[in-house]
Every structure is written in C-alpha cells, then in structure tokens.
Amino acid sequence: MCAPDPTPRPAASPDDGFLPFALPDLGPEEAEAVLECLRSGWITSGPVCRQFEQDFAAYLGGGVEAIAVNSATAGLHLALEALGIGPGDEVLVPTMTFTATAEVVRYLGADPVCVDIDGATLGISAAAAEAAITPRTRAILPVHYGGLACDMDAVLALARAHGLRVVEDAAHAFPTVHNGRLVGTLDSDATVFSFYANKTITTGEGGMLVSRDAALCRRARTMRLHGISEDAFARYTSRRPAWFYQVVAPGYKYNLGDVAAAIGRQQLRKIGRFLERRQALARGYRDGLAGLPLVLPPDAGPGSRHAWHLYPVRLRADAPLARDRLIELLAERGIGTSVHYIPLHRQPYWRERYRLQPAQFPQAEASWPMLLTLPLYTRMRDADQARVIAALKELLC
C-alpha cells in the first residue's frame, strides 16, 4: 500500500469544475523551505534530510529511529532485507493492498502469501494469517487500511506465538493511534510510512522507515545508499580529506533528497491542522450519507485514532446501481473517485504465479466489488463535500 493511487485523477483545482479525488496541501512555507534549500547549494541527502528524520522520530516518540527514503516501497524493501528475508522464505500479506506490499517480498526472492481480510476493517485477518503459516513463514506484513489500524494486538500475538517478524505497512496511517500508541511506536520490528502526493503529509515522493532495532537501522542506512560504509554528506562536507569509503554490500539508491525533506518538515508541522480537517470531513460524510444504501467505514475505537487518509464506502446489495456504473455517473458530474483496491489475488501476476482463486478470499471477494473511495483531502471545502453528498443522494435514493 505504498505507492501511487492505482487510478489517479488529474491534479486539477476544484475551481475548474472537476472535483479531484485528492490534492496535496502545499503553502508558502513549503515553497520558501525549498528555495532555502536550493540557495544552500546542497540539494541531495544532507542536513535537511537529517533534520526531517529527527523531527519525525521526535513526533512519534517511543525511542524510535527514523530513516528517510525515496518511497515507502523502498522502506519496506529495506526493512525486510535488514531482517534477513530471502529465497525460500514466506511473508504473509493481505490481499486487499497495493502491489508494492507484495512486490518487495519478491525483490528478495521470497514469496508473499496472500491472506484474506477482516470484513469490517478491511485490514488483515489474523485468523486467516494464522491458517496460512507454514514452516517457511518468516514474517507478517500487516497493512493499516485507509488510516485505521488493523488488529495489531492479534497480529503481534500471532507473531510471538510463531516466532515471526512484523513490518507494518503504514502508508495510510500517519498519525494513526492504536490503543493509546501512535502507529510507528508499537511492538513490531519496523514500520514504514508513505509521503506520496495524496498521503496525509507529502514530500511529493518519499517515505520513512522507523524502528527501535539499532541493528536493523544500521543495515537500512547502509543499504539505502549503495551499501557504502560512510555517510555521503559527511564525506562531501568534511574540512579534512574524507574521500575514502568502502562498499560493504550491494545496496540500493533509496535516499531522500533535501529538497523533498524540506517540504516534509513543513508538512509535519501542519499535521495537527491536517488531521482536524480530515476528521471534520469524515464526520461530514458520516452525517451526510446516513440513510443511503452504503456501508460507511468504521471509526477507531476508544483510545485509538483514525488518520482518515481514505474514505472508502461499500455499496449495499439493495443499492440501485452497481459500483462501476456509480463511478461513471459521478465522473460525469465532475467528481473524481477511486477504488482501494483490486485485490492482489485478482491481479494477473499474483494470480497466475501463485494460482490464487477467489474462493480463498471470501471477505475480500465480498468487499472489493462494492468498494468506492470518495474524495477526502484537506483542501476540500465544505461546499465540495456537499456536492459529493448531493450527487450520491441523487444517484442512490
């Protein structure tokens, strides 16, 4: 779940008549931070990136380290690589996710094992995960769908019982809270956030890997930049000769540049306001869509918090329109939507490689044909939301 929306809409302004599915919320602070970075002469990974990592770790608390990367996909890959996942291993992933969640497992020569979801939260089903465990299973990769934490108590208990590692795909989940703790500070091995353009904060492209495991963090930092033993920023800014370095592993090119980090630092400072607006929009949908033949997304329980990255609704069986036709009619009215997701077991590569059948995933099969994600973003005006609600009432009543 760490990649661009699979059905992106044009990044148009709401004022041009088309209401997009998502828009980033960027202001003069981000523009000035970028200009300051450009004036400094250092635009790749350097002091601003380091400060962004420190700021993000401080926001989460809990003693985590933060490692900035150029995508959440990269962060997931680094985390699994640092845990030693490799050929012959299996990693459990929910079928209701973006392909990135599973593809990083294949990068390492391991096999993702798709499992069914919980019918209420659309997150991974711990029971389905347990049923899929084999002697080859090494890790679980739960996804916090839409900004709501999955049942991490059950996932972590399952992992402890079977000696499995846990890497959380939190692409949708900043700043989600689970039972009083921010996602990113739970008892998993690592957590990875996304800062893609439609996420709750953005750097354009980018992500953050966080963990308390010092060895994992050291390995991820090394592999993030070509497997080089010395920090590139330190080498190029040192006043003494610092040309010598060693390549200790065949690493990757996953670092986040200072220009993107400059945007991220400003976005992080606004997360409180962003969250309040998303919560207000979620309440607006809850109230405005009441009585329609829709299943609305659940809110978080006591002591927890939904980040409301997405607002996915499901058509009920008594709805007068099928999901695909509803998408078409909303588009005709200038309203952008999306679908999260076409499950992995329905995608040709995963279906054919692992011989997956719909009957293996009854909850996902019952949910995804009815799913529709409505526009929800911080630049969305009350009038924009009223327009979406009015169109749904017109089409579904």
Side-chain angles (χ1 to χ4, degrees), residues 20 51 121 127 130 156 164 205 223 228 237 269 320 345-346 363 380 385 387 392 394:
Q51 189 61 59
T121 67
E130 184 168 29
L156 291 168
L164 306 178
E205 300 278 359
M223 296 300 285
I228 293 175
T237 59
R269 292 172 180 171
H345 70 267
R346 287 277 183 171
Q363 293 298 328
M380 191 174 185
Q385 185 175 50
R387 179 178 160 194
L392 288 169
E394 173 197 352

Side-chain angles (χ1 to χ4, degrees), residues 80-98:
L80 293 175
E81 195 278 341
L83 291 172
I85 303 300
D89 295 334
E90 293 177 344
V91 177
L92 306 179
V93 302
T95 189
M96 190 73 81
T97 187
F98 189 67

Side-chain angles (χ1 to χ4, degrees), residues 69-139:
V69 288
N70 60 13
S71 71
T73 307
L76 291 172
H77 185 197
L78 289 172
L80 293 175
E81 195 278 341
L83 291 172
I85 303 300
D89 295 334
E90 293 177 344
V91 177
L92 306 179
V93 302
T95 189
M96 190 73 81
T97 187
F98 189 67
T99 190
T101 309
E103 73 188 32
V104 295
V105 180
R106 290 296 302 136
Y107 292 173
L108 298 165
D111 292 308
V113 175
C114 293
V115 301
D116 206 6
I117 57 169
D118 176 86
T121 67
L122 306 185
I124 192 168
S125 162
E130 184 168 29
I133 292 173
T134 75
R136 294 173 53 200
T137 307
R138 290 281 311 282

Side-chain angles (χ1 to χ4, degrees), residues 29-206:
E29 301 86 358
E30 286 85 357
E32 180 55 36
V34 168
L35 287 173
E36 184 177 344
C37 185
L38 297 179
R39 295 185 193 111
S40 76
W42 192 274
I43 59 174
T44 186
S45 302
V48 180
C49 183
R50 282 185 175 177
Q51 189 61 59
F52 183 35
E53 291 174 333
Q54 293 168 9
D55 293 348
F56 198 82
Y59 181 92
L60 291 179
V64 300
E65 292 185 54
I67 302 166
V69 288
N70 60 13
S71 71
T73 307
L76 291 172
H77 185 197
L78 289 172
L80 293 175
E81 195 278 341
L83 291 172
I85 303 300
D89 295 334
E90 293 177 344
V91 177
L92 306 179
V93 302
T95 189
M96 190 73 81
T97 187
F98 189 67
T99 190
T101 309
E103 73 188 32
V104 295
V105 180
R106 290 296 302 136
Y107 292 173
L108 298 165
D111 292 308
V113 175
C114 293
V115 301
D116 206 6
I117 57 169
D118 176 86
T121 67
L122 306 185
I124 192 168
S125 162
E130 184 168 29
I133 292 173
T134 75
R136 294 173 53 200
T137 307
R138 290 281 311 282
I140 308 175
L141 218 169
V143 173
H144 302 303
Y145 178 92
L148 178 65
C150 62
D151 187 354
M152 285 302 295
D153 293 343
V155 168
L156 291 168
L158 179 63
R160 286 191 294 268
H162 293 272
L164 306 178
R165 313 308 289 265
V166 178
V167 176
E168 297 170 66
D169 181 338
H172 294 182
F174 182 71
T176 297
V177 172
H178 175 69
N179 289 344
R181 298 167 67 182
L182 279 164
V183 166
T185 67
L186 306 180
D187 296 328
S188 58
D189 293 280
T191 305
V192 180
F193 298 93
S194 173
F195 304 140
Y196 183 67
N198 67 342
K199 297 302 192 293
T200 54
I201 66 171
T202 186
T203 58
E205 300 278 359

Side-chain angles (χ1 to χ4, degrees), residues 19-34:
L19 185 65
F21 164 70
L23 280 177
D25 194 340
L26 303 169
E29 301 86 358
E30 286 85 357
E32 180 55 36
V34 168

